[in-house]
Amino acid sequence: MDPQWRPTPSLWSPSVLFLVMATSYTWLFAVTSPQRIPIDPQAAPEYAHSIRLDGDIILGGLFPVHSRGDRGTPCGELKKEKGIHRLEAMMFAIDLINKDPELLPNITLGARILDTCSRDTYALEQSLTFVQALIERDGSDVRCANGDPPIFTKPDKIVGVIGAAASSVSIMVANILRLFKIPQISYASTAPELSDNTRYDFFSRVVPPDSYQAQAMMDIVTAMEWNYVSTLASEGNYGESGVEAFVQISRETGGVCIAQSLKIPREPKPGEFDKIIRRLLETSNARAIIMFANEDDIRRVLDAAKRNNLTGHFLWVGSDSWGSKISPVIGQERVAEGAITILPKRASVDAFDRYFRSRSLSNNRRNVWFAEFWEENFNCKLGMHGKRPGSLKKCTGLEKVGRDSSYEQEGKVQFVMDAVYAMAHALHRMHRELCYGYPGLCPRMANNIDGKELLSHIRAVNFNGSANTPVVFNENGDAPGRYDIFQYQITNRSVAEYRVIGTWTNKLHLKVEDMRWKTGDPSFPPSVCSIPCRAGERKKVVKGVPCCWHCERCEGYHYQASEFTCELCPYEMRPDSNRTGCVPIPIIKLEWHSPWAVVPVFISMLGIIATSFVIVTFVRYNDTPIVRASGREMSYVLLTGIFLCYAITFLMIATPDVGVCSFRRIFLGLGMCFSYAALLTKTNRIHRIFEQGKKSVTAPRFISPASQLVITFSLISVQLLGVFVWFAVDPPHTVVDYGEQRTQDPLSARGVLKCDISDLSLICSLGYSILLMVTCTVYAIKTRGVPETFNEAKPIGFTMYTTCIIWLAFIPIFFGTSQSAERMYIQTTTLTISLSLSASVSLGMLYMPKVYIILFHPEQNVPKRKRSFKAIVTAATMSGKLTQKGGDRPNGEVKTELCESMETNTSSTKTTYVSYSNHAI
């Protein structure tokens, strides 16, 4: 099973043809040379290097009795188990068949068993013995020394061959045997190439091919969750074809990548195995090593790993050439610990154990290599011609196998016996078909057994083998795949042993709980190129190496959609905490308990209380001179606007819904519109009165209280009309704005529940009120020259100046924070406070002084004499003139002149509140 040959594509290569011709010629020359006398076959050692058992039907046998020789010698040391055990198993099976009255009755099987010396070329030369009987010889021109015609020794006619062991040997021999139509059944060759029925049509085997083994090893690797492995093969058909099958399966399944595929040369140079270990370390993450190598190479690889202090680093996965053998791991138990190996399912044959233990030098003379085995097994020497020179101990012949030496049945004994029985069952079927009812061989089988017909019977056999497992062949001559899975373990008592951890019969059955690793950790040791990516990370595969990747985190609002991709969450969603999916973005609104809401609400509540207090005061003192002089109707309109400016704060903070959004649209600009429409009407009236007075003594039109109310509500109706148009064009509704607080960190992202009022709509809603405010301010500037004693012109002016400053500050704050994450809070708070401050300025400058006098100085709240419109205009005119003189005189002079003028026109120095509505106009 550790082959040393890569087969040529040709079925009948020139080298094979040369060997056949050379061997045939040598044989023909030897038996026809005139100088040689024919040798008596009974006297000459014709089978000194082979075993011959007589019989009616002769089977060939090929076994690696010796290892490969060194320095040009064909054969080396004896192989006790793989050689002697196996060939004895063939002879034991023949003995059982010959004793079986049901199988081939009255027919005796014989054998011709040859040594392959574990070398394919040597095995080819030896196997030519099997075809000699089929080569015609012409001896008409050959004479013996005395002139007699030559006597040819008739070679045995081989009807079928059992063997060989190594795949390379089987491939070489199969090329010869198929030409002569001799069926061949191997007990150990597993190379996938031998499944090619077009090239090796006369080849069958009772062991499964390596394609099954490669699949079983792939299933093991997959079960271990390894995806990055290296392969190591002995040069030759077995190793290279096994690795090729494994690599092919890995490509088809796509779950395992091959880091390196290394080859062990047939004739390794010194240091070759250390070099292999260093190369394996170049891909240190690929700890699992898939090995299709012979046991000698396995032993030397383990030794190199031990020398390089790599005990425990590599995770060995060995093929059936390793199996459960002791020889590769002797002295290297620690470095081999944890190795997983595979072996065709087998069972020990107890009958063979009894047979082999009973073998001795006296009862086993038919085995020409048994004496050499005896010396090797008992470490002694047999006489002067022993094979072990230098040994002081002499063999007594009374030694006993299993008593005086260790004995364990070789693993392929079962398959050797199954191969022999498969041939016997095929011959039995053929005999029953051709010689039905004929005792012994009938002429049709005695003269010539058709190899092709015998092959068809071999492929049709179906019986329980020596281990009670079915022996069958498929159309390619392969046995079904049945494997035992072993792990080499060191127990707590420091005892090393192979332990069965599972089976494979077209499917892997692994007992994970029975596995044991050097670290003591029950989890599988890793052999991966890249560690698995964490949740929320995608794999960026390295080009050409699908098992190696870099992990890239899904950033921003992306989530891990698959193993290799990140996708963007829907706009209203964000990645979850581990970025494997999307979750809705939390929706927020301005809460009442928020500091952004508490301050505006507090100011508004104070303003509402103050406004309510002023209204109550004005209502209570409705008929007093101060209230009447203030213009009661316009004051109530103005106070209503101030109240609405405070009240809008609560609508701006309330939870948005259709109702709240509707009221926001209505009242957002309405409070300011009420206030500034009333103030504009007042300032416009003052301006018209004094402008008219400069031209004539006739009072201007539309200065009565009713006219003022009509003008005020006309201005307010424009605001209401715009709101109703807005309602019709875009009905109010709520929206969730996910862009306002869409931060770079998705965890901080929030959706803002708000009314669907854009910045443009807000400007349009407040724009009309601001226009009224600006116009009112213009009139306040024009009426700034009106004396302090004449109504509210100057307080209105101060109110408008302050209000303009407030709203000029509002605009950059409101629109400058449009990109801020706190936009909702800042803009809402800014807007509500600006409205409240505007209302507070109006309330404080226009009404608080009046309330103060009404409540704390009632003595000033008394009626005064009425003056004519002419007197008012005259006072205003003089005030203007004095203002002009003030630019040319010292400060005291202006005041003196003003006082003198006032004394001339009035009879009292006390402040007089003049109501224009009280004058006859």
Side-chain angles (χ1 to χ4, degrees):
M1 308 171 11
D2 59 83
Q4 308 296 331
W5 164 267
R6 181 188 292 271
T8 59
S10 172
L11 299 179
W12 188 235
S13 64
S15 60
V16 174
L17 181 62
F18 172 78
L19 286 171
V20 172
M21 294 176 63
T23 306
S24 301
Y25 176 78
T26 303
W27 175 84
L28 185 63
F29 178 81
V31 299
T32 58
S33 175
Q35 284 79 23
R36 294 186 62 184
I37 298 175
I39 301 173
D40 183 359
Q42 301 296 326
E46 182 184 354
Y47 306 111
H49 295 287
S50 66
I51 296 175
R52 183 176 186 276
L53 303 179
D54 291 328
D56 300 323
I57 298 176
I58 305 298
L59 302 179
L62 292 171
F63 295 93
V65 180
H66 293 87
S67 62
R68 180 187 307 178
D70 297 326
R71 298 194 181 103
T73 58
C75 300
E77 295 180 353
L78 182 78
K79 289 189 172 183
K80 296 192 296 181
E81 290 83 11
K82 295 178 73 172
I84 300 299
H85 283 205
R86 292 178 182 180
L87 71 86
E88 286 289 349
M90 179 176 178
M91 293 191 291
F92 174 62
I94 290 175
D95 292 343
L96 293 178
I97 293 168
N98 288 338
K99 294 176 184 177
D100 191 342
E102 301 296 330
L103 186 60
L104 292 175
N106 301 314
I107 297 175
T108 303
L109 285 181
R112 180 72 183 276
I113 301 174
L114 304 176
D115 180 11
T116 64
C117 290
S118 304
R119 188 186 294 271
D120 46 11
T121 53
Y122 181 80
L124 176 64
E125 297 174 11
Q126 292 293 301
S127 63
L128 291 175
T129 304
F130 298 148
V131 301
Q132 285 181 356
L134 302 176
I135 299 176
E136 296 182 2
R137 308 167 203 174
D138 184 9
S140 58
D141 296 334
V142 180
R143 287 291 183 270
C144 295
N146 58 4
D148 295 334
I151 300 174
F152 292 102
T153 301
K154 185 177 181 181
D156 294 321
K157 184 177 182 181
I158 307 299
V159 300
V161 174
I162 306 300
S167 295
S168 58
V169 174
S170 290
I171 288 172
M172 188 71 82
V173 172
N175 280 317
I176 293 289
L177 298 182
R178 73 178 298 272
L179 296 177
F180 297 94
K181 298 181 179 179
I182 300 176
Q184 174 186 3
I185 302 178
S186 174
Y187 50 83
S189 298
T190 57
E193 189 172 352
L194 289 165
S195 297
D196 187 352
N197 203 37
T198 60
R199 297 179 61 188
Y200 307 103
D201 46 343
F202 280 81
F203 177 84
S204 304
R205 49 187 163 191
V206 292
V207 290
D210 287 339
S211 54
Y212 294 154
Q213 182 175 199
Q215 182 63 60
M217 296 172 78
M218 176 59 69
D219 291 347
I220 292 171
V221 168
T222 303
M224 295 291 106
E225 300 177 356
W226 298 336
N227 67 0
Y228 198 51
V229 301
S230 293
T231 62
L232 187 58
S234 292
E235 185 177 5
N237 182 266
Y238 170 80
E240 294 178 47
S241 60
V243 165
E244 183 179 350
F246 182 86
V247 171
Q248 181 63 31
I249 294 172
S250 72
R251 289 172 181 165
E252 293 172 356
T253 58
V256 177
C257 297
I258 309 301
Q260 295 189 78
S261 286
L262 304 183
K263 189 188 301 182
I264 303 172
R266 270 198 186 90
E267 304 294 340
K269 300 176 181 178
E272 185 70 34
F273 289 92
D274 291 324
K275 180 181 177 181
I276 289 173
I277 293 298
R278 286 194 297 270
R279 287 195 59 188
L280 290 175
L281 277 177
E282 291 175 3
T283 51
S284 57
N285 285 348
R287 295 176 60 193
I289 311 299
I290 311 303
M291 298 184 69
F292 283 85
N294 61 61
E295 57 185 279
D296 292 334
D297 287 342
I298 294 170
R299 177 175 50 78
R300 287 182 283 187
V301 167
L302 294 177
D303 184 53
K306 182 179 178 181
R307 281 197 308 273
N308 287 273
N309 296 319
L310 292 172
T311 299
H313 175 77
F314 293 112
L315 306 169
W316 312 104
V317 181
S319 63
D320 61 348
S321 60
W322 185 336
S324 60
K325 294 174 185 172
I326 299 298
S327 58
V329 297
I330 290 178
Q332 300 168 146
E333 290 81 4
R334 292 293 176 183
V335 73
E337 183 180 3
I340 299 174
T341 61
I342 189 172
L343 197 63
K345 198 171 185 63
R346 65 183 188 184
S348 180
V349 182
D350 295 336
F352 177 78
D353 289 339
R354 292 191 295 272
Y355 162 81
F356 196 79
R357 284 192 174 99
S358 68
R359 296 297 90 191
S360 66
L361 292 174
S362 58
N363 63 13
N364 199 22
R365 295 182 180 273
R366 61 182 181 178
N367 186 346
V368 298
W369 297 290
F370 198 71
E372 186 179 354
F373 165 79
W374 199 266
E375 289 183 329
E376 181 75 21
N377 192 53
F378 297 106
N379 195 24
C380 61
K381 180 179 180 181
L382 288 171
M384 297 294 295
H385 304 287
K387 296 285 187 178
R388 295 174 61 85
S391 176
L392 300 178
K393 179 183 175 182
K394 290 187 178 181
C395 302
T396 63
L398 300 177
E399 294 87 357
K400 188 173 180 62
V401 175
R403 184 192 68 188
D404 301 315
S405 65
S406 61
Y407 166 77
E408 183 178 357
Q409 187 179 125
E410 201 274 334
K412 292 295 191 295
V413 164
Q414 166 200 342
F415 300 109
V416 173
M417 296 181 65
D418 287 346
V420 176
Y421 267 91
M423 193 71 77
H425 277 279
L427 289 168
H428 182 80
R429 288 169 58 93
M430 187 176 184
H431 179 268
R432 190 169 55 188
E433 182 179 308
L434 300 180
C435 307
Y436 185 77
Y438 193 94
L441 289 178
C442 64
R444 293 182 63 184
M445 288 186 67
N447 296 332
N448 183 29
I449 294 180
D450 185 4
K452 194 168 186 179
E453 188 174 357
L454 177 60
L455 177 65
S456 65
H457 287 291
I458 290 174
R459 298 289 172 86
V461 299
N462 188 344
F463 64 97
N464 284 332
S466 54
N468 289 323
T469 55
V471 177
V472 293
F473 301 99
N474 64 12
E475 65 276 7
N476 295 323
D478 295 328
R482 290 187 292 265
Y483 296 96
D484 284 324
I485 312 298
F486 295 87
Q487 187 182 38
Y488 190 67
Q489 299 179 354
I490 298 179
T491 64
N492 295 332
R493 295 175 295 175
S494 298
V495 177
E497 62 179 2
Y498 289 97
R499 184 174 182 181
V500 177
I501 59 170
T503 59
W504 189 92
T505 307
N506 296 323
K507 185 178 180 182
L508 181 65
H509 301 277
L510 203 60
K511 300 176 184 176
V512 177
E513 64 277 6
D514 292 340
M515 302 183 73
R516 185 174 297 173
W517 305 98
K518 184 178 180 63
T519 59
D521 189 344
S523 61
F524 300 140
S527 181
V528 294
C529 180
S530 303
I531 60 173
C533 292
R534 294 175 296 180
E537 295 180 340
R538 76 177 185 94
K539 293 180 180 178
K540 186 177 182 182
V541 179
V542 177
K543 187 176 181 180
V545 190
C547 299
C548 299
W549 57 80
H550 303 295
C551 294
E552 287 187 350
R553 183 163 179 79
C554 298
E555 297 293 345
Y557 288 82
H558 291 79
Y559 73 100
Q560 184 184 0
S562 68
E563 192 176 6
F564 303 99
T565 59
C566 293
E567 292 185 3
L568 186 65
C569 285
Y571 191 70
E572 70 279 2
M573 305 184 81
R574 68 180 183 184
D576 56 20
S577 58
N578 55 11
R579 292 185 175 270
T580 55
C582 296
V583 295
I585 294 176
I587 298 174
I588 62 170
K589 62 182 181 61
L590 185 57
E591 301 292 345
W592 293 102
H593 56 77
S594 169
W596 296 98
V598 170
V599 174
V601 168
F602 178 73
I603 296 174
S604 296
M605 290 180 68
L606 291 179
I608 289 173
I609 293 172
T611 305
S612 301
F613 179 75
V614 171
I615 293 173
V616 171
T617 302
F618 266 53
V619 172
R620 171 69 178 80
Y621 299 95
N622 188 54
D623 293 325
T624 61
I626 290 181
V627 174
R628 293 176 64 187
S630 299
R632 289 173 295 185
E633 297 80 4
M634 296 304 296
S635 292
Y636 290 134
V637 172
L638 181 55
L639 288 171
T640 301
I642 292 172
F643 184 89
L644 291 177
C645 286
Y646 286 124
I648 192 63
T649 297
F650 298 93
L651 288 175
M652 297 302 294
I653 296 175
T655 301
D657 56 31
V658 175
V660 170
C661 292
S662 300
F663 284 119
R664 281 189 188 178
R665 289 192 182 187
I666 295 172
F667 292 106
L668 180 60
L670 191 60
M672 291 180 63
C673 188
F674 264 79
S675 300
Y676 300 126
L679 289 176
L680 177 59
T681 302
K682 279 192 172 189
T683 55
N684 175 263
R685 181 169 177 265
I686 296 171
H687 175 71
R688 287 190 294 113
I689 288 173
F690 283 97
E691 286 297 318
Q692 181 70 19
K694 294 177 183 179
K695 300 175 184 178
S696 67
V697 294
T698 306
R701 302 171 61 189
F702 308 118
I703 62 173
S704 65
S707 299
Q708 293 180 72
L709 288 176
V710 170
I711 294 172
T712 300
F713 283 107
S714 297
L715 295 174
I716 293 172
S717 65
V718 175
Q719 171 76 16
L720 292 174
L721 179 63
V723 170
F724 291 141
V725 172
W726 187 8
F727 269 78
V729 174
D730 183 18
H733 59 278
T734 60
V735 295
V736 179
D737 188 351
Y738 293 99
E740 184 172 316
Q741 293 198 26
R742 194 174 181 85
T743 57
Q744 289 187 350
D745 181 10
L747 294 178
S748 302
R750 298 291 185 270
V752 179
L753 176 64
K754 61 182 183 179
C755 295
D756 187 20
I757 302 177
S758 64
D759 291 346
L760 179 61
S761 301
L762 180 66
I763 291 299
C764 292
S765 178
L766 295 176
Y768 180 67
S769 299
I770 293 174
L771 176 63
L772 294 177
M773 180 184 68
V774 172
T775 306
C776 186
T777 304
V778 171
Y779 276 106
I781 294 172
K782 287 184 177 183
T783 59
R784 68 185 183 278
V786 175
E788 295 179 2
T789 54
F790 296 98
N791 213 293
E792 302 167 308
K794 288 189 178 351
I796 291 175
F798 290 137
T799 299
M800 300 317 301
Y801 304 152
T802 307
T803 303
C804 287
I805 293 172
I806 292 172
W807 287 99
L808 285 174
F810 161 78
I811 292 174
I813 295 174
F814 187 89
F815 294 101
T817 58
S818 60
Q819 302 301 322
S820 172
E822 305 291 337
R823 172 187 174 186
M824 176 187 67
Y825 305 113
I826 297 174
Q827 291 188 342
T828 302
T829 302
T830 302
L831 178 60
T832 54
I833 290 179
S834 296
L835 289 169
S836 295
L837 288 178
S838 299
S840 299
V841 168
S842 299
L843 185 66
M845 290 191 174
L846 297 178
Y847 292 101
M848 283 306 170
K850 296 179 176 64
V851 172
Y852 175 78
I853 291 176
I854 291 172
L855 295 179
F856 299 104
H857 294 281
E859 69 280 3
Q860 297 182 12
N861 189 13
V862 293
K864 301 296 179 181
R865 69 178 179 85
K866 296 182 180 180
R867 295 188 299 168
S868 65
F869 180 76
K870 182 179 179 180
I872 296 171
V873 172
T874 301
T877 304
M878 291 184 65
S879 176
K881 291 179 179 180
L882 293 175
T883 302
Q884 292 176 1
K885 292 179 180 181
D888 302 325
R889 299 186 182 184
N891 293 335
E893 298 178 9
V894 176
K895 183 175 181 181
T896 303
E897 187 173 345
L898 176 60
C899 292
E900 292 174 352
S901 176
M902 293 296 293
E903 289 174 357
T904 306
N905 290 281
T906 63
S907 60
S908 177
T909 58
K910 294 183 180 179
T911 303
T912 302
Y913 292 89
V914 182
S915 174
Y916 304 121
S917 60
N918 295 331
H919 292 279
I921 299 176

